[in-house]
Amino acid sequence: MPKLIELVEGQARWAEDAFVFVADEDAIPDTGDVILTLARFEAEGDALLASNSRRVGVRIEPDQEVEVLAYDLPRLAVVALAFPKYRDGRAYSSARLLRERFGYQGQVRAVGDVLREQAGFMVRCGFDAFEPADGATPEAWSKAASRFRHVYQRAVDARPVAFEERAS
Amino acid sequence: MKAITANRLIDGEVVFWKSGQWVDRFGDAQLFDDHHAADVEAAVATGKSQPTVVVDVYPIDLVQSGGRWAPLSYRERIRALGPTNEPTHGKQVEGGDVVEALRHASGAARSTGRVDLIRRK
Amino acid sequence: MYQYDLIDKEFLADRSAEFRGQVARRLSGELTEDQFKPLRLMNGLYLQLHAYMLRVAIPYGSLNPTQARRLAQIARDYDKGYGHFTTRQNIQFNWIKLKDAPEILDKLAEVDLHAIQTSGNCIRNTTSDPYAGATAEEVDDPRVWCEVIRQWSTLHPEFSFLPRKFKIAITASAKDRTAAKVHDIGLLLRQGRDGQLGFEVIVGGGQGRTPYVGPTIKQFLPTDRLLSYLEAILRVYNRHGRRDNIYKARIKILVAALGAEEFARQVEEEWSKIDAARADLPAPELARIRAAFATTPFKTLPARSETFEAAKASDAAFARFVRNNVRPHKLPGYAIVEISLKAQEQTPGDASADQLDVVADLAERYGFNDLRVTHAQNLVLPHIKLDDLPTVFAALQTANLATPNIDLVSDIIACPGLDYCALANARAIPIAQDIARQFADLDRAEQVGELKIKISGCINACGHHHVAHIGILGVDKKGEEFYQLSLGGSGAEDASIGKILGPALPADKVATAVDQLVGAYLAVRTDGERFLDTYRRVGLEPFKEAVYAQAD
């Protein structure tokens, strides 16, 4: 089972991943929580959700726009944002838009080439779950995400910005 | 004829393969003639399997000049010698026959009756 | 000048601690080179031909004496006793060891210096006018806005993995000394009709393989909306810039592909959705930053200095220095002094540790602790009393820093080229030296007048050859170094991309060709015309003939 790190109230911890990612060519299991590709969700998502018996998530690739999920977000438990290569920074914008523009309250999960060296950026952009590709533990993840005592710009997280600290 | 070069991870120094070791001087580099392409491949593979020792391992082409072997390209000559704008910096400071030969090998590269030069990949 | 407070200092300390950890994980093998490379690049550390190169940030080209002395010390302790100033107002050390890098960053942090984001696919150093705060020409001090952007862009969580590097320049004077129009974003400070301050926003300028003078995307952006608008631009770029081909990944490609109008529309649309109250800089913080730049204790002086006038009259060398290297200051009795790092037989843009100490001392004693770097790889003392100028000149002379050639033919921009750079196809430094030698006669150089020659060792154009009056691009022609000349480029407010003159020339023909071009110019120039002006009037043909009609 791929290990999942979840961020709960600012603390990183191991979590059992209830979700299974279903590739387009595979059958959707009869029961259980699933994460589908965007195309699959657009085709079969309504039916799955209508059953009301399972949670559904969608995996978004970097070249797919999160705007297309705008109306479905309230019904989605997870949005998984893919990093095919850690250098592909599009998911940071996607995460931020999900949180700030669409007010998404569900889980925003980082999948793919997810490395602790980018933990800080991910947390600040609103990711709250991570499938690390480098063997990182929650402790290592926490440590990596908290290297900086100060930040210079507002992001999704509630950290006070440097100029707010100065004003106080 | 080929040699194998890389940069040492810890300090970025240009190094050359010699029988499983990495040496600082081009003059000490192991030479591989055209019949030993497999040995070149094996050595490069070994180098690439040492990511905490060297980075960017690749073979370079050599050309004969003044009775000695020299890197074919300017780029590799400069790597083997040091910057041309500052003769007191880099490997060229050591002086000696090999350095002098490499320096003069530059002249051969500019000649109009030139060999078909191959660019490093 | 902006003073780092405890928050800024703790940030640098945290950054160098982070890098120390990353280096350790690389050396132990925990991180692969592929994983480590962007991390070290985001701390300015390149692997070059002979060693690692460290690019230290000099935000908007501004240094104080303590910082300059620390750079000298780093040059001595960790390098070979010198540094190289770049076309983005930064400084590079060519002979760095990876194992020393964490310690170097610590030493830099002690004096509020760093190498944050001087490389990598992130927002780089925001560059500016080296005369900021000293020139009467500016509508506002651009350094204020540079510092605003510096903080906002530092470790920006959304924009640290862009498709490609991102460079911003800010100019506030009619005369552009920043090459703003060939930047990813050029911000031109303007005064609106009602006296309100704003930016003309240019997006999609650039050089490299596909040079562009950037189009204006927004005519007038009120300055208090700067950060939200930048966020909109960066978000559109981060989401839609190409990632399939590094040669097509800059924002200039996106702007050209969409067209300026459509790109502007997409930015406006994104901008309209951004919460300004959260995104734009609060007024008190802006005021705090602005106040930091308004603190120079200038004296009220008479416009005329007898000491200065006497020295000009009696010392021809000083008079020549004044003619070429000294510029008017906004205040009477003061002057802006350019320090040429283009002495004969020296590497363009290099300064020795001893020279750095000399300019540090001069800035401290005579210059309000204010030292600048220009994008032409020279230095500036922006506030020198006319009374002190002869003394400053004498000190510069002793240190070989008084070459009176600013903006003249021998004031050449040259990238490090194949002597140092892993990306280069040909050497640039010896070509610059050949040309400078050709025009060593100072009288001749002055007779020729303003002539901006810029040399790049490869198409990445770090030497800015596209925006040169005479641009020189090194190319590899079957393993030999050849040089392609272009004419009529400009990085100033009259920005233009140069036109190729003809087939590339071998190295030993370049200086002669420049001589021929100058000859052609002198033959037909009319009163007051610079080389660039004559070219724009008569076109390429006379110059082409001067060089190629005589070629074998």
Side-chain angles (χ1 to χ4, degrees), chain A residues 5 25 40-41 65 77 86 94-95 102 105-106 114 122 127 133-134 147 158 164:
Chain A
I5 293 176
E25 59 271 17
R40 194 82 179 267
F41 176 76
E65 301 203 339
Y86 73 89
S94 297
F102 299 110
Q105 303 283 322
V114 174
M122 290 184 186
F127 286 93
D134 63 348
R147 288 173 185 165
E164 288 168 327

Short mmCIF file of all heavy atoms in Angstrom, two decimals, chain A residues 5 25 40-41 65 77 86 94-95 102 105-106 114 122 127 133-134 147 158 164:
data_model
loop_
_atom_site.label_atom_id
_atom_site.label_comp_id
_atom_site.label_asym_id
_atom_site.label_seq_id
_atom_site.Cartn_x
_atom_site.Cartn_y
_atom_site.Cartn_z
N ILE A 5 0.84 10.57 3.75
CA ILE A 5 1.03 11.49 4.87
C ILE A 5 -0.10 12.51 4.82
O ILE A 5 -0.38 13.09 3.78
CB ILE A 5 2.40 12.22 4.75
CG1 ILE A 5 3.54 11.23 4.94
CG2 ILE A 5 2.50 13.33 5.79
CD1 ILE A 5 4.93 11.85 4.75
N GLU A 25 -7.99 2.26 -17.81
CA GLU A 25 -8.24 0.95 -18.45
C GLU A 25 -8.75 -0.09 -17.46
O GLU A 25 -9.11 -1.20 -17.84
CB GLU A 25 -6.97 0.46 -19.16
CG GLU A 25 -5.77 0.30 -18.25
CD GLU A 25 -4.94 1.58 -18.14
OE1 GLU A 25 -5.46 2.67 -18.49
OE2 GLU A 25 -3.80 1.50 -17.67
N ARG A 40 -12.37 10.11 -16.77
CA ARG A 40 -13.23 9.05 -16.22
C ARG A 40 -14.31 9.64 -15.33
O ARG A 40 -15.47 9.24 -15.36
CB ARG A 40 -12.37 8.08 -15.39
CG ARG A 40 -13.04 6.75 -15.02
CD ARG A 40 -12.93 5.80 -16.18
NE ARG A 40 -13.52 4.49 -15.92
CZ ARG A 40 -12.84 3.45 -15.46
NH1 ARG A 40 -11.57 3.57 -15.10
NH2 ARG A 40 -13.44 2.29 -15.32
N PHE A 41 -13.91 10.63 -14.54
CA PHE A 41 -14.88 11.27 -13.65
C PHE A 41 -15.96 11.97 -14.46
O PHE A 41 -17.16 11.88 -14.13
CB PHE A 41 -14.20 12.26 -12.73
CG PHE A 41 -15.17 13.03 -11.86
CD1 PHE A 41 -15.76 12.42 -10.77
CD2 PHE A 41 -15.51 14.34 -12.17
CE1 PHE A 41 -16.68 13.10 -9.99
CE2 PHE A 41 -16.42 15.03 -11.39
CZ PHE A 41 -17.02 14.41 -10.29
N GLU A 65 -7.17 21.99 -16.23
CA GLU A 65 -7.50 23.15 -15.40
C GLU A 65 -8.50 22.77 -14.31
O GLU A 65 -9.53 22.18 -14.60
CB GLU A 65 -8.08 24.26 -16.29
CG GLU A 65 -7.11 24.67 -17.38
CD GLU A 65 -7.38 26.08 -17.90
OE1 GLU A 65 -8.50 26.57 -17.72
OE2 GLU A 65 -6.44 26.67 -18.48
N ALA A 77 -14.30 14.25 -2.33
CA ALA A 77 -13.57 14.11 -1.07
C ALA A 77 -12.09 14.45 -1.23
O ALA A 77 -11.46 14.93 -0.31
CB ALA A 77 -13.71 12.68 -0.56
N TYR A 86 8.98 16.60 -10.35
CA TYR A 86 8.83 17.58 -9.26
C TYR A 86 9.01 19.01 -9.75
O TYR A 86 8.53 19.96 -9.15
CB TYR A 86 9.82 17.27 -8.13
CG TYR A 86 11.24 17.60 -8.44
CD1 TYR A 86 11.77 18.86 -8.19
CD2 TYR A 86 12.08 16.65 -9.04
CE1 TYR A 86 13.07 19.17 -8.50
CE2 TYR A 86 13.38 16.96 -9.36
CZ TYR A 86 13.88 18.22 -9.09
OH TYR A 86 15.17 18.52 -9.41
N SER A 94 -2.68 25.14 -9.14
CA SER A 94 -3.94 24.42 -9.05
C SER A 94 -4.41 24.32 -7.59
O SER A 94 -5.57 24.56 -7.28
CB SER A 94 -3.79 23.02 -9.64
OG SER A 94 -3.47 23.09 -11.02
N ALA A 95 -3.48 23.96 -6.72
CA ALA A 95 -3.83 23.82 -5.30
C ALA A 95 -4.33 25.14 -4.74
O ALA A 95 -5.35 25.22 -4.04
CB ALA A 95 -2.62 23.34 -4.51
N PHE A 102 -11.95 28.63 -5.11
CA PHE A 102 -13.15 27.80 -5.08
C PHE A 102 -13.51 27.36 -3.67
O PHE A 102 -14.50 26.66 -3.47
CB PHE A 102 -12.98 26.59 -6.00
CG PHE A 102 -12.75 27.00 -7.43
CD1 PHE A 102 -11.52 26.82 -8.04
CD2 PHE A 102 -13.77 27.61 -8.16
CE1 PHE A 102 -11.30 27.22 -9.35
CE2 PHE A 102 -13.55 28.01 -9.48
CZ PHE A 102 -12.33 27.81 -10.07
N GLN A 105 -12.85 22.49 0.44
CA GLN A 105 -12.59 22.06 1.82
C GLN A 105 -12.10 20.63 1.92
O GLN A 105 -11.70 20.18 3.00
CB GLN A 105 -13.90 22.17 2.64
CG GLN A 105 -14.51 23.56 2.65
CD GLN A 105 -13.76 24.48 3.58
OE1 GLN A 105 -13.33 24.06 4.65
NE2 GLN A 105 -13.57 25.72 3.17
N GLY A 106 -12.17 19.90 0.82
CA GLY A 106 -11.75 18.48 0.87
C GLY A 106 -10.23 18.35 0.89
O GLY A 106 -9.51 19.33 1.10
N VAL A 114 6.85 13.46 -5.63
CA VAL A 114 6.62 14.32 -4.47
C VAL A 114 7.79 14.17 -3.51
O VAL A 114 8.01 13.08 -2.96
CB VAL A 114 5.28 13.93 -3.80
CG1 VAL A 114 5.08 14.69 -2.52
CG2 VAL A 114 4.13 14.17 -4.76
N MET A 122 4.50 23.14 -0.88
CA MET A 122 3.23 22.44 -1.01
C MET A 122 2.28 22.80 0.13
O MET A 122 1.10 23.10 -0.09
CB MET A 122 3.46 20.93 -1.05
CG MET A 122 4.13 20.46 -2.34
SD MET A 122 4.26 18.66 -2.39
CE MET A 122 5.23 18.47 -3.89
N PHE A 127 -1.86 22.14 -0.01
CA PHE A 127 -1.89 20.68 0.01
C PHE A 127 -2.00 20.21 1.46
O PHE A 127 -1.35 20.77 2.33
CB PHE A 127 -0.61 20.10 -0.59
CG PHE A 127 -0.50 20.21 -2.08
CD1 PHE A 127 0.14 21.30 -2.66
CD2 PHE A 127 -1.01 19.22 -2.91
CE1 PHE A 127 0.25 21.40 -4.04
CE2 PHE A 127 -0.90 19.32 -4.30
CZ PHE A 127 -0.27 20.41 -4.86
N ALA A 133 7.51 10.34 -2.71
CA ALA A 133 8.22 9.43 -3.61
C ALA A 133 9.65 9.18 -3.14
O ALA A 133 10.38 8.42 -3.75
CB ALA A 133 8.25 10.02 -5.01
N ASP A 134 10.04 9.81 -2.03
CA ASP A 134 11.43 9.70 -1.60
C ASP A 134 11.55 9.04 -0.23
O ASP A 134 12.54 9.22 0.46
CB ASP A 134 12.08 11.09 -1.56
CG ASP A 134 11.42 12.03 -0.55
OD1 ASP A 134 10.31 11.69 -0.04
OD2 ASP A 134 11.98 13.09 -0.27
N ARG A 147 11.20 24.76 7.81
CA ARG A 147 12.57 25.26 7.83
C ARG A 147 12.65 26.76 8.01
O ARG A 147 13.68 27.28 8.41
CB ARG A 147 13.28 24.90 6.52
CG ARG A 147 13.61 23.43 6.40
CD ARG A 147 14.14 23.14 5.02
NE ARG A 147 14.37 21.71 4.83
CZ ARG A 147 14.55 21.14 3.66
NH1 ARG A 147 14.50 21.85 2.56
NH2 ARG A 147 14.76 19.84 3.58
N ALA A 158 -2.13 29.85 6.99
CA ALA A 158 -2.52 30.99 7.82
C ALA A 158 -1.32 31.70 8.41
O ALA A 158 -1.46 32.56 9.26
CB ALA A 158 -3.44 30.48 8.93
N GLU A 164 3.24 41.55 8.45
CA GLU A 164 2.27 41.49 9.55
C GLU A 164 3.00 41.31 10.88
O GLU A 164 2.63 41.90 11.89
CB GLU A 164 1.28 40.34 9.32
CG GLU A 164 0.30 40.63 8.20
CD GLU A 164 -0.49 39.40 7.77
OE1 GLU A 164 0.07 38.27 7.83
OE2 GLU A 164 -1.65 39.57 7.35
#
